[in-house]
Amino acid sequence: MRQAEAGKKVGELCREMGVSSQAFYSWKRRYAGLGLSELRELRQLREENGKLKTLVADLSLDKQILQEVLSKKA
């Protein structure tokens, strides 16, 4: 986005990066105006969110397995 703001053509940037212009404009809409520290924080939050989702999925699976074992014993 910085290169586009500096005057480089969007089509040229997209070819270099291997993304569609639609993806570029989607990113621009999402991340325009964010500073470097905010982007880092956003990345960290997304990583943490992914880890938490994995943890919840694992615990839900464990719970389901335990319920199945208990229902078979009863």
Side-chain angles (χ1 to χ4, degrees):
M1 284 191 275
R2 290 185 189 127
Q3 291 177 353
E5 291 172 356
K8 197 167 187 178
K9 294 184 179 182
V10 172
E12 199 174 303
L13 281 171
C14 292
R15 276 190 297 279
E16 288 176 10
M17 294 172 51
V19 297
S20 68
S21 58
Q22 183 179 6
F24 174 84
Y25 288 113
S26 174
W27 293 340
K28 183 176 179 181
R29 191 174 348 106
R30 228 181 254 171
Y31 303 117
L34 293 180
L36 190 58
S37 62
E38 293 166 322
L39 288 173
R40 284 186 185 137
E41 183 180 354
L42 181 61
R43 182 179 300 133
Q44 288 174 343
L45 288 172
R46 285 187 176 174
E47 288 174 3
E48 183 180 351
N49 192 27
K51 290 176 184 176
L52 290 172
K53 284 182 179 182
T54 303
L55 181 62
V56 167
D58 290 342
L59 290 173
S60 296
L61 184 59
D62 289 346
K63 178 184 173 189
Q64 182 182 0
I65 291 170
L66 289 173
Q67 286 176 339
E68 287 177 9
V69 169
L70 287 175
S71 69
K72 288 180 182 178
K73 287 185 176 181

